[in-house]
Amino acid sequence: MERSAASLLWFPVDRASSISLTIQVYEQVRRRILQNELNEGERLPSSRELASSVGVSRNIVLEVYDRLLAEGYLEVRPQSGTYVAAGSHILSEAAQDRLGEAVAAIGRPSPLVDTIDFRAAHPAADYFPRAVWGRLAREVCMDTPERAFGYAKPEGTAELRHVLARYLLQARGVRCHPDQIVVTSGATQALHLVTELLAKDKQARIAVEDPVTDEMRTIFSYAGADLLPVPVDDKGILPEKLPELDRPDFVFVIPSHQFPLGGTLPIQRRIQLIEYARRMDCCIVEDDYDSEFTYEGVPVHSLQGLDPERVIYVGTFSKILSPALRIGYAVLPVRYVEAYRRLKWFADRHTSTLEQLILARFMEEGYFDRHIRRMRKIYRKRRETLVSGLRKHLPEAHILGESAGMHLVVEFSDIRFTDKLMERIRVEGVQVYAVEHYVLVKGRHEHQIVMGYGGLPPEAILEGVARLAKAIRPDRPPSL
Ligand SMILES: Cc1ncc(COP(=O)(O)O)c(C=O)c1O
């Protein structure tokens, strides 16, 4: 048989990438075939030649050729070689290019690998109670009756809902029967389902604090709702600014520690909010995601406790324990319980039973309270480190919202955190977050940044503040 000349083939591979060499070689050859760079009927180099030109082992190339053969991109002609099969290219090259680039980018390391990231609401992963959790997981796995390994009810396990109802009453003044609780996959799902419950299939309106977290804003806007921004000050939402003409379907608030400004809503405003909801006949959705970490005074009880039939209370274990658990919950007025359970069933049937049972034991046996007390001390220390670092390097900074949570806001009256300045800060190896990023109405918070400290050890916090000072006050000599 006639043997045509084999194509010359070379491409780079990235040995530092997390993508295996086999996949990289496969993607490169496949992309060339799809894009007609290797034409129909063209002979490929032998496995030995390609392995040597690219610098990988011959076994890798053999594996790639086998896979491409099995998928129909190649054909073997006996005693001749391996050829590109007919009909194996497509015309839409642009899409393939983007795919190739995206695949290549997955394994690429970030250019600023040692960036100190003051991301808000990230808990201290290094303090997750691994040993206790591991032991309880084993116990649950061994002692739990078989029925727990089947499908369960959408509202979650009775064990977790009972212990949670008790905890919420004692710690947060939430008044509910365990049957009013639906365990969800994080507060994110809880809020998504609340939006479906109250704001679906109509031109819904949701009144939100402005600024508001981008995750929650995305959930609401994705559902097609119009967002009605309500300004906040250092204590939280300003109820007198709630819309009087456009009735919202619900008001979304974080009264115990407004995100990102950090205010704790005083009782007078809480009462005003409830009165507003009664007057407008709408619900209030209270997100209480990090209220366990209060450092000054006594934590203020939930809004839900003031009117359990008007307020949907949403909580999460992501900040107290870990976002990896994906366990949150909604506490619902009785009239919404059935419909909400149905929505949860449609979403994912139920949250992992085993994980719920471990958590229930963790709470029942007192580890949860102990963990909160321990984490409060750790976050207090991290907060003090951040505040003292700011006092040292940037004494003119005005600090807001430092009495709770895992982040605070820093304001500089003479600095506007423009995109250009944010980039300069990033290049200095530190990531902070402009409050303007979270706003709906632009221009009111240009002088403020959010700095989360929960996930950073004290040395990183101090180094991060020094880098921040260098970026925003380049002419100032560094403090020693
Ligand atoms: C305001 C707010 N609530 C709750 C959460 C927690 O979400 P989840 O419980 O899904 O992890 C977040 C996450 O960043 C948040 O920003």
Side-chain angles (χ1 to χ4, degrees), residues 187-199:
T188 307
Q189 186 186 47
L191 287 162
H192 170 68
L193 298 181
V194 165
T195 313
E196 289 213 343
L197 179 80
L198 300 178

Side-chain angles (χ1 to χ4, degrees), residues 269-286:
R269 292 197 201 175
R270 288 171 188 247
I271 291 170
Q272 273 177 280
L273 259 180
I274 299 281
E275 284 171 348
Y276 173 86
R278 288 179 182 171
R279 195 169 68 249
M280 301 299 262
D281 191 21
C282 68
C283 271
I284 295 173
V285 177
E286 172 178 22

Side-chain angles (χ1 to χ4, degrees), residues 35 67-68 126 136 174 211 220 245 315 322 333 381 387 405 451:
Q35 294 181 358
R67 185 167 165 193
L68 291 166
D126 43 338
L136 295 178
V174 169
F220 302 148
L245 295 177
S322 159
K381 171 110 199 308
V387 171
M451 295 182 79

Side-chain angles (χ1 to χ4, degrees), residues 121 185-188 213 215-216 254 287 289 316 318-319 323 326:
S185 300
T188 307
T213 76
E215 285 96 343
M216 303 315 152
I254 312 182
D287 183 347
Y289 71 103
T316 179
S318 289
K319 315 298 160 180
R326 305 314 304 137

Side-chain angles (χ1 to χ4, degrees), residues 114-133:
D114 75 334
T115 294
I116 295 171
D117 190 349
F118 284 94
R119 184 186 286 240
H122 266 225
D126 43 338
Y127 284 91
F128 184 81
R130 290 187 193 222
V132 176
W133 195 268

Side-chain angles (χ1 to χ4, degrees), residues 11 17 209 243 273 318 406 419 445 462:
F11 42 79
S17 167
E209 295 166 339
L273 259 180
S318 289
M406 294 186 280
D419 290 348
H445 297 276
L462 288 176

